Amino acid sequence: MDRAGVDPHEELGLKADATLAQVKKAYRRLAAQWHPDRNADPQAVRRMQRINEAYRRLCERVEVMADDAEAEAPVEPDPPPQQASPPPNEHAKAKAKRKWWERDWGKPRWEPDGEAAPRPLAHEAEITLEAAALGCTHRVQGLITDLCPDCEGVGRWVSPRTLCQACDGEGRVPGKGSGSWVTCAPCGGDGHERQACASCGGSGELTSVRAYHYEVRIPAGVRDGQTVILRGQGQRCGARQADLVLTIRLRVHPLFTWRADQTLSCTVPVDLFTVLAHGVVQVPTLEGHLIKLALADGAEQTLPGMGFPNKDGSRGPLHVVLQTLTPTTYSAAQQALLAKLAASIQADPLPACPELAAWQTQLRQHARR
């Protein structure tokens, strides 16, 4: 079983002050015992990985201690010119290649280098208010490139039993500066060999596209911004499939608007004379019908069950706002009718206009004086 946090000295059975020679000797002994080619135990591979990791950490620790000791040592005088040392090698501190007993000699076993998640398909459906209220069918179609099932959409294969050729399994390579090290880019620092997936050429996607076509049923009462999800109809990667997400967008309606409480409203313009006559106006419904509304019932009226459907299937109210408009121009016939109306009111202001009747009485009394 894995043992997280175990000290590398304990893993190799060494004391904390073990020398590099003792570290190598312990490693050779354990490698001969636990290498998968020599040990059939199911835990041999994992145990060998822990032994390799402990050995690598201890070697690095010894190197750091040696560098610190070298930095603290007194500076020696320069040697005579005839005994000058050869120019330093910029890779002098690079690790030597592993010995034969330090290498993983098992048969290469290639497997996907991780797993990429298929992405969902995103579409928008712009529909009318009537279609959203009554329900409709929306067509979704297009082309999509699925992920490569061989490499799980990553585009790379990794072999845990094969050392990275770029760093010889060390997980690092010499940097630009003398004595510096950087993470090996081809293997990402774990020391295992990678190769591009032959099926997709390293792209992680199939070379061919797939056409899709769905007739999506949009339920009655759907609101703007709501989504309809088709499970497993998005991008695919073998048996794994993402979803198709259809977002609903409602078109602006010429007759109906939304109130703050998300109920439907309709503003009906009415001329002043129809309002004064307490007439009747026609109000539209989502089904395309026209209903009559008496103006005597008020300037704002609510019609229960005539609005937009709710989630439970019931119908919400339809709020009607009557907007009174005063005409600014009239035809000749309308002017004649207005003149008759004005003359009639002047001749008999009561009961239509009692203020006008009182004013005419005061004028007659003033004229008699």
Side-chain angles (χ1 to χ4, degrees):
M1 300 296 292
D2 294 351
R3 297 180 298 168
V6 175
D7 185 81
H9 292 93
E10 181 180 350
E11 188 68 53
L12 298 183
L14 297 171
K15 296 182 179 180
D17 57 350
T19 64
L20 182 59
Q22 293 172 334
V23 171
K24 292 183 177 181
K25 181 178 180 180
Y27 177 81
R28 289 194 295 269
R29 174 177 53 82
L30 292 174
Q33 176 184 356
W34 286 100
H35 199 282
D37 289 348
R38 304 181 182 182
N39 195 324
D41 191 312
Q43 298 296 325
V45 174
R46 183 56 186 156
R47 179 64 190 276
M48 194 64 208
Q49 291 176 349
R50 296 204 311 267
I51 293 172
N52 288 336
E53 176 64 17
Y55 176 67
R56 182 185 65 83
R57 291 172 57 187
L58 288 180
C59 288
E60 291 179 353
R61 187 176 302 179
V62 172
E63 286 183 359
V64 172
M65 295 175 61
D67 291 343
D68 294 342
E70 181 180 352
E72 295 176 359
V75 180
E76 298 181 359
D78 294 336
Q82 62 275 14
Q83 299 179 359
S85 59
N89 187 353
E90 60 177 354
H91 300 308
K93 292 188 178 182
K95 283 192 172 182
K97 291 188 177 181
R98 295 185 178 185
K99 304 296 187 296
W100 66 269
W101 58 80
E102 300 174 354
R103 298 179 182 271
D104 295 327
W105 292 98
K107 183 179 180 181
R109 184 185 68 253
W110 294 95
E111 58 188 35
D113 189 19
E115 182 180 273
R119 67 178 184 273
L121 277 176
H123 280 268
E124 287 191 354
E126 185 180 2
I127 61 177
T128 64
L129 191 62
E130 291 86 352
L134 305 177
C136 64
T137 301
H138 185 79
R139 178 181 300 174
V140 176
Q141 60 185 9
L143 300 174
I144 188 172
T145 303
D146 293 324
L147 297 180
C148 176
D150 293 337
C151 63
E152 297 292 343
V154 181
R156 300 182 306 275
W157 289 78
V158 59
S159 177
R161 294 183 178 179
T162 307
L163 299 181
C164 173
Q165 297 180 3
C167 64
D168 199 29
E170 296 296 330
R172 60 176 187 168
V173 294
K176 295 182 178 179
S178 177
S180 63
W181 296 87
V182 295
T183 302
C184 178
C187 68
D190 62 6
H192 301 312
E193 182 70 11
R194 261 78 171 176
Q195 70 178 15
C197 174
S199 301
C200 63
S203 65
E205 296 182 340
L206 297 180
T207 56
S208 60
V209 297
R210 172 174 58 89
Y212 60 90
H213 178 277
Y214 305 108
E215 297 290 336
V216 184
R217 177 62 185 173
I218 299 177
V222 68
R223 304 297 180 100
D224 185 73
Q226 284 189 278
T227 57
V228 178
I229 300 178
L230 275 66
R231 300 296 181 186
Q233 301 303 327
Q235 190 181 46
R236 303 171 184 173
C237 184
R240 297 182 293 120
Q241 298 180 345
D243 300 331
L244 187 149
V245 181
L246 182 64
T247 303
I248 306 300
R249 298 300 179 192
L250 298 183
R251 297 174 186 169
V252 177
H253 201 279
L255 300 179
F256 301 101
T257 56
W258 292 98
R259 289 163 55 97
D261 59 358
Q262 290 300 299
T263 56
L264 213 56
S265 176
C266 179
T267 300
V268 181
V270 186
D271 66 276
L272 174 63
F273 301 104
T274 303
V275 174
L276 294 176
H278 290 173
V280 176
V281 295
Q282 291 183 324
V283 178
T285 65
L286 286 174
E287 291 81 359
H289 305 307
L290 296 176
I291 59 175
K292 293 183 179 181
L293 198 66
L295 300 182
D297 295 335
E300 292 191 16
Q301 303 181 34
T302 300
L303 305 179
M306 302 295 292
F308 202 78
N310 297 316
K311 293 182 179 179
D312 57 2
S314 63
R315 294 290 294 270
L318 175 61
H319 301 275
V320 180
V321 179
L322 302 177
Q323 182 182 16
T324 302
L325 302 178
T326 302
T328 56
T329 58
Y330 304 92
S331 65
Q334 293 170 344
Q335 288 283 3
L337 292 174
L338 288 174
K340 290 182 179 181
L341 176 62
S344 175
I345 293 177
Q346 288 290 335
D348 185 12
L350 288 175
C353 191
E355 293 85 357
L356 179 59
W359 172 255
Q360 290 180 351
T361 300
Q362 292 178 359
L363 285 180
R364 287 193 296 269
Q365 291 176 356
H366 182 74
R368 294 192 188 104
R369 294 178 183 176

